[in-house]
């Protein structure tokens, strides 16, 4: 298969949630030396974006989103070792979670993979993380950065609730707080009192590195 055929196949089969075909095509891509970033950014992510657009238009429904998401997650599992470097000295510790009420995790997991690839130690609290769990994990792991993802306009207010809980626990000055997720904007991040925002995984890594460098310099 040519690279273009693999990419087109990945786009089409992710869209219809054909996980076995997506896994096979991802493996074919890996075996033939197709860069994992191309599979991600030229096929898998655009495919999920189209799924989202169809859902928004009312053409597709939750089951279609679910199977497409599962197919994408399977591909990410195969790509993870190629995207994440190993044996690199830790740049810093990043505590990450999707906020309470929100089960979306593909974007969060992708940010995690890219952070690990850049040398961060990532502690992933998973999805539906309540404020008290963020607080307990900060106390336990003492991360440099706390990252929160929200993918629904209805769950974005949890950023503020989490930040309030972190403040109340006397931990706000000890961590940098970054937020992100599909509906989040820089303006929203500012309003809820976060230190940083990124629209995508690559920008999240760049911002995280900048924050850690600034923290080290300030000590
Ligand atoms: Co849902 N969903 N979903 N969904 N889903 C969206 C998010 C939606 C935009 C679809 C749409 O209408 N176009 C819409 C939200 C609308 C809104 O509120 N603005 C939506 C909805 C409405 C819902 C339900 C309410 C549907 C329903 O039940 N009626 C429901 C809610 C469930 C809940 O959480 N309580 C629901 C459910 C689901 C599934 C479970 C079926 C499934 C999730 C599977 C999973 O994640 N395990 C699902 C899916 C797959 C999607 C879409 C199609 C794809 C999401 C995705 O994985 N994108 C999505 C449509 C879309 O996004 N276009 C949609 C790919 C991923 C790589 O991108 O997630 O944006 P993204 O992550 C990016 C950036 O956001 C950023 O970096 C990532 C990588 O570049 N980023 C950060 C993420 N976290 C960051 C943190 C940072 C910095 C950057 O710093 C800490």
């Amino acid at each position: 298969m040519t690279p273009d055929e693999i990419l087109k196949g990945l786009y089409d089969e992710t869209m219809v949630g054909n996980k076995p075909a997506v896994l096979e095509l991802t493996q074919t891509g890996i075996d033939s030396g197709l860069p994992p970033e191309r599979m991600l950014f030229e096929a898998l992510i655009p495919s999920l974006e189209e799924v989202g657009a169809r859902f928004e238009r009312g053409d597709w429904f939750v089951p279609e989103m679910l199977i497409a998401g599962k197919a994408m997650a399977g591909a990410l599992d195969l790509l993870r070792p190629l995207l994440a470097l190993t044996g690199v000295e830790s740049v810093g510790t990043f505590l990450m979670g999707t906020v309470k009420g929100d089960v979306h995790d593909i974007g969060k997991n992708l940010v995690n993979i890219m952070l690990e690839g850049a040398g961060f130690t990532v502690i992933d609290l998973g999805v539906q993380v309540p404020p008290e769990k963020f607080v307990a994990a900060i106390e336990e792991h003492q991360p440099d950065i706390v990252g929160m993802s929200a993918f629904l306009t209805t769950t974005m207010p949890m950023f503020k609730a989490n930040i309030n809980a972190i403040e109340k626990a006397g931990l706000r000055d000890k961590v940098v707080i970054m937020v992100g997720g599909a509906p989040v904007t820089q303006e929203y991040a500012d309003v809820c009192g976060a230190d940083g925002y990124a629209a995508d995984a690559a920008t999240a890594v760049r911002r995280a590195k900048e924050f850690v460098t600034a923290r080290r310099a300030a000590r």
Side-chain angles (χ1 to χ4, degrees):
M1 284 180 103
T2 67
D4 282 349
E5 283 168 345
I6 297 172
L7 292 173
K8 182 169 184 322
L10 277 176
Y11 181 89
D12 292 343
E13 300 299 347
T14 301
M15 185 124 41
V16 294
N18 185 351
K19 188 172 175 182
V22 170
L23 293 182
E24 200 180 321
L25 283 159
T26 306
Q27 195 56 54
T28 306
I30 292 170
D31 294 342
S32 63
L34 190 59
E37 292 83 1
R38 285 197 65 192
M39 290 191 256
L40 257 183
F41 297 115
E42 292 179 32
L44 295 164
I45 292 178
S47 183
L48 272 195
E49 279 168 0
E50 177 56 25
V51 172
R54 290 181 188 198
F55 175 79
E56 215 163 335
R57 290 199 301 268
D59 294 340
W60 280 13
F61 302 97
V62 173
E64 281 92 350
M65 278 207 293
L66 190 58
I67 55 170
K70 284 191 172 155
M72 161 83 166
L76 267 190
D77 284 343
L78 288 178
L79 295 176
R80 178 183 285 268
L82 300 172
L83 291 164
L85 295 177
T86 50
V88 184
E89 198 190 331
S90 180
V91 172
T93 302
F94 201 108
L95 183 74
M96 183 73 145
T98 297
V99 299
K100 185 176 172 182
D102 201 321
V103 303
H104 295 85
D105 67 355
I106 297 169
K108 167 185 70 65
N109 294 345
L110 185 53
V111 174
N112 288 348
I113 292 173
M114 306 283 267
L115 284 166
E116 283 167 4
F120 279 89
T121 301
V122 177
I123 296 154
D124 184 5
L125 301 178
V127 297
Q128 305 237 50
V129 182
E132 58 275 17
K133 195 165 171 190
F134 274 109
V135 168
I138 294 170
E139 281 166 344
E140 183 184 350
H141 301 287
Q142 305 187 356
D144 297 283
I145 304 179
V146 178
M148 303 170 191
S149 296
F151 302 93
L152 300 166
T153 39
T154 48
T155 57
M156 281 163 53
M158 283 312 296
F159 290 151
K160 184 69 189 145
N162 291 335
I163 292 171
N164 285 346
I166 292 167
E167 246 160 28
K168 206 170 159 204
L171 298 167
R172 182 66 186 91
D173 295 343
K174 299 197 171 15
V175 289
V176 169
I177 296 181
M178 284 182 65
V179 295
V184 185
T185 59
Q186 179 66 59
E187 290 69 31
Y188 193 84
D190 292 341
V191 166
C192 71
D195 300 306
Y197 156 79
D200 55 52
T203 314
V205 170
R206 189 168 47 75
R207 295 287 287 132
K209 280 184 172 169
E210 287 166 2
F211 279 123
V212 167
T213 307
R215 261 167 77 93
R216 301 272 190 271
R219 273 182 193 155

